Amino acid sequence: MEERRLGPVVGLGTWNTFGGDAANAAQVVGAAIEAGTRVFDSSPMYGGAEASLGAALRERRDGTTVATKIWTQSVDEGREQYRRQVEWFGRVEIEQVHNLVAWREQLAWLEDERAEGRIDRLGVTHYAARAFGELAEALRTRRFDVVQVPYNPHEREVERELLPLAAELGIAVIVMRPLAEGALVRRSPPADALRELGVATWAQALLKWALSDERVDLVIPATSRPERTAENAEAGSPPWFGPDERRYVEELAA
Ligand SMILES: NC(=O)c1ccc[n+]([C@@H]2O[C@H](COP(=O)([O-])OP(=O)(O)OC[C@H]3O[C@@H](n4cnc5c(N)ncnc54)[C@H](OP(=O)(O)O)[C@@H]3O)[C@@H](O)[C@H]2O)c1
């Protein structure tokens, strides 16, 4: 798989898929690592997902990257979330402020953790276009290394300001919702169209669509099915789509 600034370009999300069933989560993580995936995204917002991910990674943590989040208005509770994460994961490589919640307050102590070398990169996330102005403001402080945003053929607002800004400031980009929470993969275009794009499945076409934008470092599709991790990871190798192929994917997704 191709590697960019955050590692192999197809990671794994855990929202909605890792909360309930820790045994299944362990199977998904095992299959994902087998397929070359190394970056795992989670959050205190995702129910028991962090605990399941921690347990799943315990025996295979070497060479993996945990990207999780702080999600609370309170600095004390933020520190407590981080303390629990260190218990689950040993350390956190990428710590993100979830949905911009109290980002200035959380950033102050997170920067100390980064300065001490306990966290490698600080990030900030938001899922909604209405918050992208504030997200841009946060990036302009130059205090974040990573930004996480939605990007798929149905959600392209980040092309206007955030992707150019991230590129200008040298900030790495994580793409959430690359399959539009599964909405884009409920039906697939005909096999002929996929063949023309050089992919085996429609999910791969959508992941390649995002990764073919060179400003993107990582996509984090979530799945509860171990076998889909290999399918998704296969989308992480060149050749990438040019403008015509990307437009074709957009037409197929319309
Ligand atoms: N949604 C948000 O607002 C949000 C916000 C912040 C962060 N994130 C992060 O971003 C990650 C990804 O976003 P997401 O989970 O919302 O949506 P997503 O990754 O776009 O879509 C996940 C859905 O796609 C299905 N899927 C995965 N691979 C597939 C394949 N090869 N073929 C067919 N279906 C496939 C999964 O179903 P199966 O389980 O049946 O495979 C799941 O229902 C999250 O897990 C989380 O870590 C999301």
Side-chain angles (χ1 to χ4, degrees), residues 91-129:
R91 74 192 293 268
V92 174
E93 282 78 24
I94 304 174
E95 189 71 272
Q96 305 157 95
V97 178
H98 199 148
N99 285 353
L100 287 160
V101 176
W103 64 271
R104 291 180 184 82
E105 292 78 5
Q106 305 296 0
L107 193 49
W109 67 269
L110 286 169
E111 281 180 319
D112 292 342
E113 295 297 324
R114 182 179 56 187
E116 294 296 327
R118 288 189 284 268
I119 291 171
D120 296 336
R121 290 181 164 92
L122 296 181
V124 59
T125 83
H126 210 290
Y127 69 95

Short mmCIF file of all heavy atoms in Angstrom, two decimals, residues 91-129:
data_model
loop_
_atom_site.label_atom_id
_atom_site.label_comp_id
_atom_site.label_asym_id
_atom_site.label_seq_id
_atom_site.Cartn_x
_atom_site.Cartn_y
_atom_site.Cartn_z
N ARG A 91 0.17 4.52 24.29
CA ARG A 91 0.32 5.93 23.96
C ARG A 91 -0.62 6.26 22.80
O ARG A 91 -1.17 5.35 22.17
CB ARG A 91 1.77 6.31 23.64
CG ARG A 91 2.30 5.86 22.31
CD ARG A 91 3.81 6.04 22.23
NE ARG A 91 4.24 7.43 22.23
CZ ARG A 91 4.43 8.17 21.13
NH1 ARG A 91 4.23 7.64 19.93
NH2 ARG A 91 4.85 9.41 21.19
N VAL A 92 -0.78 7.54 22.53
CA VAL A 92 -1.63 7.99 21.43
C VAL A 92 -0.73 8.71 20.43
O VAL A 92 -0.06 9.68 20.79
CB VAL A 92 -2.74 8.94 21.93
CG1 VAL A 92 -3.54 9.51 20.76
CG2 VAL A 92 -3.66 8.22 22.90
N GLU A 93 -0.70 8.24 19.20
CA GLU A 93 0.18 8.88 18.21
C GLU A 93 -0.45 10.17 17.66
O GLU A 93 0.23 11.17 17.46
CB GLU A 93 0.48 7.91 17.06
CG GLU A 93 1.52 6.86 17.38
CD GLU A 93 0.99 5.72 18.23
OE1 GLU A 93 -0.25 5.47 18.21
OE2 GLU A 93 1.77 5.06 18.94
N ILE A 94 -1.75 10.11 17.35
CA ILE A 94 -2.44 11.29 16.81
C ILE A 94 -3.63 11.59 17.72
O ILE A 94 -4.55 10.79 17.83
CB ILE A 94 -2.94 11.04 15.37
CG1 ILE A 94 -1.79 10.61 14.45
CG2 ILE A 94 -3.64 12.28 14.83
CD1 ILE A 94 -2.23 10.21 13.04
N GLU A 95 -3.58 12.73 18.40
CA GLU A 95 -4.68 13.11 19.30
C GLU A 95 -5.43 14.29 18.66
O GLU A 95 -4.84 15.33 18.37
CB GLU A 95 -4.13 13.51 20.67
CG GLU A 95 -5.19 13.73 21.72
CD GLU A 95 -5.87 12.43 22.19
OE1 GLU A 95 -6.87 12.04 21.56
OE2 GLU A 95 -5.41 11.82 23.17
N GLN A 96 -6.75 14.07 18.46
CA GLN A 96 -7.53 15.08 17.75
C GLN A 96 -8.58 15.69 18.67
O GLN A 96 -9.16 14.99 19.51
CB GLN A 96 -8.23 14.43 16.55
CG GLN A 96 -7.27 13.70 15.62
CD GLN A 96 -7.96 12.62 14.77
OE1 GLN A 96 -8.35 12.87 13.65
NE2 GLN A 96 -8.14 11.43 15.34
N VAL A 97 -8.85 16.96 18.51
CA VAL A 97 -9.95 17.59 19.24
C VAL A 97 -11.21 17.32 18.42
O VAL A 97 -11.34 17.76 17.27
CB VAL A 97 -9.73 19.10 19.42
CG1 VAL A 97 -10.92 19.71 20.14
CG2 VAL A 97 -8.43 19.35 20.19
N HIS A 98 -12.13 16.58 19.02
CA HIS A 98 -13.32 16.11 18.30
C HIS A 98 -14.33 17.25 18.13
O HIS A 98 -14.73 17.89 19.09
CB HIS A 98 -13.95 14.96 19.09
CG HIS A 98 -14.87 14.12 18.28
ND1 HIS A 98 -15.05 12.78 18.49
CD2 HIS A 98 -15.67 14.43 17.23
CE1 HIS A 98 -15.92 12.31 17.62
NE2 HIS A 98 -16.32 13.29 16.85
N ASN A 99 -14.76 17.45 16.91
CA ASN A 99 -15.81 18.43 16.60
C ASN A 99 -15.52 19.82 17.17
O ASN A 99 -16.46 20.54 17.54
CB ASN A 99 -17.18 17.97 17.14
CG ASN A 99 -17.77 16.86 16.28
OD1 ASN A 99 -17.24 16.54 15.23
ND2 ASN A 99 -18.87 16.27 16.74
N LEU A 100 -14.24 20.17 17.26
CA LEU A 100 -13.83 21.51 17.71
C LEU A 100 -14.28 21.82 19.14
O LEU A 100 -14.23 22.98 19.56
CB LEU A 100 -14.41 22.60 16.77
CG LEU A 100 -13.78 22.75 15.40
CD1 LEU A 100 -14.75 23.47 14.44
CD2 LEU A 100 -12.48 23.53 15.47
N VAL A 101 -14.68 20.81 19.91
CA VAL A 101 -15.22 21.07 21.25
C VAL A 101 -14.11 21.64 22.16
O VAL A 101 -13.11 20.98 22.40
CB VAL A 101 -15.81 19.79 21.87
CG1 VAL A 101 -16.29 20.07 23.31
CG2 VAL A 101 -16.96 19.28 21.03
N ALA A 102 -14.30 22.86 22.62
CA ALA A 102 -13.37 23.55 23.53
C ALA A 102 -11.93 23.45 23.01
O ALA A 102 -10.99 23.20 23.77
CB ALA A 102 -13.48 22.98 24.94
N TRP A 103 -11.75 23.68 21.72
CA TRP A 103 -10.44 23.37 21.12
C TRP A 103 -9.32 24.25 21.66
O TRP A 103 -8.19 23.78 21.83
CB TRP A 103 -10.49 23.39 19.59
CG TRP A 103 -10.80 24.69 18.92
CD1 TRP A 103 -12.04 25.15 18.60
CD2 TRP A 103 -9.88 25.67 18.44
NE1 TRP A 103 -11.95 26.36 17.97
CE2 TRP A 103 -10.63 26.70 17.86
CE3 TRP A 103 -8.49 25.78 18.46
CZ2 TRP A 103 -10.04 27.84 17.29
CZ3 TRP A 103 -7.89 26.90 17.89
CH2 TRP A 103 -8.66 27.92 17.31
N ARG A 104 -9.61 25.48 21.97
CA ARG A 104 -8.53 26.34 22.48
C ARG A 104 -8.07 25.85 23.86
O ARG A 104 -6.88 25.78 24.15
CB ARG A 104 -8.98 27.79 22.57
CG ARG A 104 -9.19 28.42 21.20
CD ARG A 104 -9.65 29.86 21.34
NE ARG A 104 -9.96 30.45 20.04
CZ ARG A 104 -11.10 30.28 19.39
NH1 ARG A 104 -12.06 29.52 19.90
NH2 ARG A 104 -11.30 30.83 18.22
N GLU A 105 -9.05 25.50 24.69
CA GLU A 105 -8.74 25.04 26.05
C GLU A 105 -8.01 23.69 26.01
O GLU A 105 -7.02 23.49 26.72
CB GLU A 105 -10.03 24.90 26.88
CG GLU A 105 -10.72 26.22 27.20
CD GLU A 105 -11.53 26.79 26.03
OE1 GLU A 105 -11.63 26.13 24.98
OE2 GLU A 105 -12.04 27.93 26.17
N GLN A 106 -8.47 22.77 25.20
CA GLN A 106 -7.83 21.43 25.15
C GLN A 106 -6.44 21.52 24.52
O GLN A 106 -5.51 20.82 24.93
CB GLN A 106 -8.70 20.43 24.36
CG GLN A 106 -10.14 20.28 24.86
CD GLN A 106 -10.25 19.72 26.28
OE1 GLN A 106 -9.25 19.43 26.93
NE2 GLN A 106 -11.48 19.58 26.76
N LEU A 107 -6.31 22.41 23.55
CA LEU A 107 -5.04 22.52 22.84
C LEU A 107 -3.89 22.89 23.78
O LEU A 107 -2.76 22.41 23.64
CB LEU A 107 -5.19 23.56 21.73
CG LEU A 107 -4.13 23.67 20.66
CD1 LEU A 107 -3.80 22.32 20.06
CD2 LEU A 107 -4.60 24.63 19.57
N ALA A 108 -4.19 23.74 24.76
CA ALA A 108 -3.13 24.24 25.64
C ALA A 108 -2.40 23.08 26.33
O ALA A 108 -1.17 22.99 26.29
CB ALA A 108 -3.72 25.19 26.68
N TRP A 109 -3.13 22.14 26.92
CA TRP A 109 -2.44 21.03 27.61
C TRP A 109 -1.97 19.96 26.63
O TRP A 109 -0.94 19.31 26.84
CB TRP A 109 -3.31 20.44 28.73
CG TRP A 109 -4.55 19.72 28.30
CD1 TRP A 109 -5.79 20.27 28.16
CD2 TRP A 109 -4.69 18.33 27.99
NE1 TRP A 109 -6.69 19.30 27.77
CE2 TRP A 109 -6.05 18.09 27.66
CE3 TRP A 109 -3.80 17.25 27.95
CZ2 TRP A 109 -6.54 16.85 27.29
CZ3 TRP A 109 -4.29 16.00 27.58
CH2 TRP A 109 -5.64 15.81 27.26
N LEU A 110 -2.70 19.80 25.51
CA LEU A 110 -2.26 18.81 24.51
C LEU A 110 -0.91 19.20 23.91
O LEU A 110 -0.07 18.35 23.62
CB LEU A 110 -3.32 18.68 23.41
CG LEU A 110 -4.59 17.92 23.82
CD1 LEU A 110 -5.68 18.08 22.75
CD2 LEU A 110 -4.28 16.44 24.05
N GLU A 111 -0.69 20.50 23.74
CA GLU A 111 0.60 20.95 23.20
C GLU A 111 1.75 20.58 24.15
O GLU A 111 2.85 20.25 23.69
CB GLU A 111 0.58 22.46 22.94
CG GLU A 111 -0.15 22.80 21.65
CD GLU A 111 -0.19 24.29 21.37
OE1 GLU A 111 -0.41 25.06 22.32
OE2 GLU A 111 -0.01 24.66 20.20
N ASP A 112 1.49 20.62 25.45
CA ASP A 112 2.52 20.20 26.41
C ASP A 112 2.83 18.72 26.23
O ASP A 112 4.00 18.31 26.26
CB ASP A 112 2.06 20.45 27.85
CG ASP A 112 1.97 21.93 28.17
OD1 ASP A 112 2.57 22.74 27.42
OD2 ASP A 112 1.27 22.29 29.14
N GLU A 113 1.78 17.90 26.05
CA GLU A 113 2.00 16.45 25.85
C GLU A 113 2.82 16.21 24.58
O GLU A 113 3.71 15.37 24.56
CB GLU A 113 0.65 15.72 25.75
CG GLU A 113 -0.19 15.74 27.01
CD GLU A 113 0.48 15.04 28.19
OE1 GLU A 113 1.17 14.02 27.98
OE2 GLU A 113 0.31 15.52 29.33
N ARG A 114 2.50 16.96 23.54
CA ARG A 114 3.28 16.81 22.30
C ARG A 114 4.72 17.26 22.50
O ARG A 114 5.66 16.60 22.06
CB ARG A 114 2.62 17.62 21.17
CG ARG A 114 3.34 17.48 19.83
CD ARG A 114 2.65 18.27 18.71
NE ARG A 114 2.51 19.68 19.06
CZ ARG A 114 1.85 20.58 18.35
NH1 ARG A 114 1.25 20.22 17.23
NH2 ARG A 114 1.76 21.84 18.73
N ALA A 115 4.90 18.38 23.20
CA ALA A 115 6.27 18.89 23.43
C ALA A 115 7.11 17.88 24.23
O ALA A 115 8.31 17.77 24.02
CB ALA A 115 6.20 20.23 24.17
N GLU A 116 6.45 17.15 25.11
CA GLU A 116 7.15 16.14 25.92
C GLU A 116 7.37 14.85 25.14
O GLU A 116 7.94 13.89 25.66
CB GLU A 116 6.35 15.81 27.19
CG GLU A 116 6.24 16.96 28.18
CD GLU A 116 7.58 17.38 28.76
OE1 GLU A 116 8.45 16.50 28.93
OE2 GLU A 116 7.77 18.58 28.99
N GLY A 117 6.84 14.78 23.92
CA GLY A 117 7.04 13.60 23.07
C GLY A 117 6.07 12.46 23.35
O GLY A 117 6.24 11.35 22.84
N ARG A 118 5.05 12.72 24.17
CA ARG A 118 4.10 11.63 24.48
C ARG A 118 3.04 11.49 23.40
O ARG A 118 2.42 10.44 23.26
CB ARG A 118 3.46 11.88 25.86
CG ARG A 118 4.46 11.64 27.00
CD ARG A 118 3.78 11.67 28.35
NE ARG A 118 3.49 13.03 28.77
CZ ARG A 118 4.30 13.78 29.51
NH1 ARG A 118 5.45 13.30 29.92
NH2 ARG A 118 3.95 15.00 29.85
N ILE A 119 2.80 12.54 22.65
CA ILE A 119 1.88 12.51 21.50
C ILE A 119 2.69 12.97 20.29
O ILE A 119 3.48 13.92 20.41
CB ILE A 119 0.68 13.46 21.74
CG1 ILE A 119 -0.22 12.92 22.87
CG2 ILE A 119 -0.12 13.68 20.46
CD1 ILE A 119 -1.29 13.90 23.32
N ASP A 120 2.51 12.30 19.13
CA ASP A 120 3.29 12.70 17.95
C ASP A 120 2.67 13.88 17.21
O ASP A 120 3.37 14.79 16.79
CB ASP A 120 3.41 11.52 16.97
CG ASP A 120 4.16 10.36 17.57
OD1 ASP A 120 4.97 10.59 18.50
OD2 ASP A 120 3.94 9.21 17.13
N ARG A 121 1.33 13.81 17.03
CA ARG A 121 0.68 14.84 16.23
C ARG A 121 -0.65 15.25 16.86
O ARG A 121 -1.36 14.40 17.39
CB ARG A 121 0.36 14.31 14.82
CG ARG A 121 1.58 14.08 13.95
CD ARG A 121 1.09 13.57 12.59
NE ARG A 121 2.12 13.66 11.57
CZ ARG A 121 2.97 12.68 11.29
NH1 ARG A 121 2.91 11.55 11.95
NH2 ARG A 121 3.87 12.84 10.32
N LEU A 122 -0.98 16.54 16.74
CA LEU A 122 -2.28 17.02 17.21
C LEU A 122 -3.17 17.33 16.02
O LEU A 122 -2.71 17.91 15.02
CB LEU A 122 -2.10 18.29 18.05
CG LEU A 122 -1.32 18.10 19.36
CD1 LEU A 122 -1.23 19.43 20.11
CD2 LEU A 122 -1.96 17.03 20.23
N GLY A 123 -4.45 16.95 16.16
CA GLY A 123 -5.39 17.18 15.06
C GLY A 123 -6.68 17.79 15.55
O GLY A 123 -6.91 17.94 16.76
N VAL A 124 -7.52 18.14 14.59
CA VAL A 124 -8.82 18.70 14.91
C VAL A 124 -9.81 18.20 13.85
O VAL A 124 -9.41 18.01 12.70
CB VAL A 124 -8.74 20.25 15.00
CG1 VAL A 124 -8.25 20.86 13.70
CG2 VAL A 124 -10.06 20.86 15.45
N THR A 125 -11.05 17.94 14.27
CA THR A 125 -12.01 17.33 13.34
C THR A 125 -13.33 18.09 13.38
O THR A 125 -13.68 18.70 14.38
CB THR A 125 -12.33 15.87 13.73
OG1 THR A 125 -13.34 15.83 14.75
CG2 THR A 125 -11.10 15.13 14.24
N HIS A 126 -14.05 18.03 12.28
CA HIS A 126 -15.49 18.34 12.29
C HIS A 126 -16.16 17.66 11.11
O HIS A 126 -15.55 17.50 10.06
CB HIS A 126 -15.78 19.84 12.29
CG HIS A 126 -17.07 20.14 13.01
ND1 HIS A 126 -18.30 19.80 12.50
CD2 HIS A 126 -17.32 20.69 14.23
CE1 HIS A 126 -19.24 20.15 13.38
NE2 HIS A 126 -18.66 20.68 14.43
N TYR A 127 -17.41 17.27 11.35
CA TYR A 127 -18.14 16.51 10.32
C TYR A 127 -19.07 17.39 9.48
O TYR A 127 -19.57 16.95 8.45
CB TYR A 127 -18.96 15.39 10.98
CG TYR A 127 -20.11 15.93 11.80
CD1 TYR A 127 -21.38 16.05 11.25
CD2 TYR A 127 -19.91 16.39 13.10
CE1 TYR A 127 -22.42 16.57 11.99
CE2 TYR A 127 -20.93 16.90 13.84
CZ TYR A 127 -22.19 17.00 13.28
OH TYR A 127 -23.21 17.55 14.00
N ALA A 128 -19.30 18.66 9.94
CA ALA A 128 -20.37 19.46 9.31
C ALA A 128 -19.81 20.70 8.63
O ALA A 128 -19.00 21.44 9.21
CB ALA A 128 -21.38 19.86 10.37
N ALA A 129 -20.31 20.97 7.41
CA ALA A 129 -19.82 22.11 6.64
C ALA A 129 -20.04 23.44 7.37
O ALA A 129 -19.24 24.36 7.24
CB ALA A 129 -20.51 22.13 5.27
#
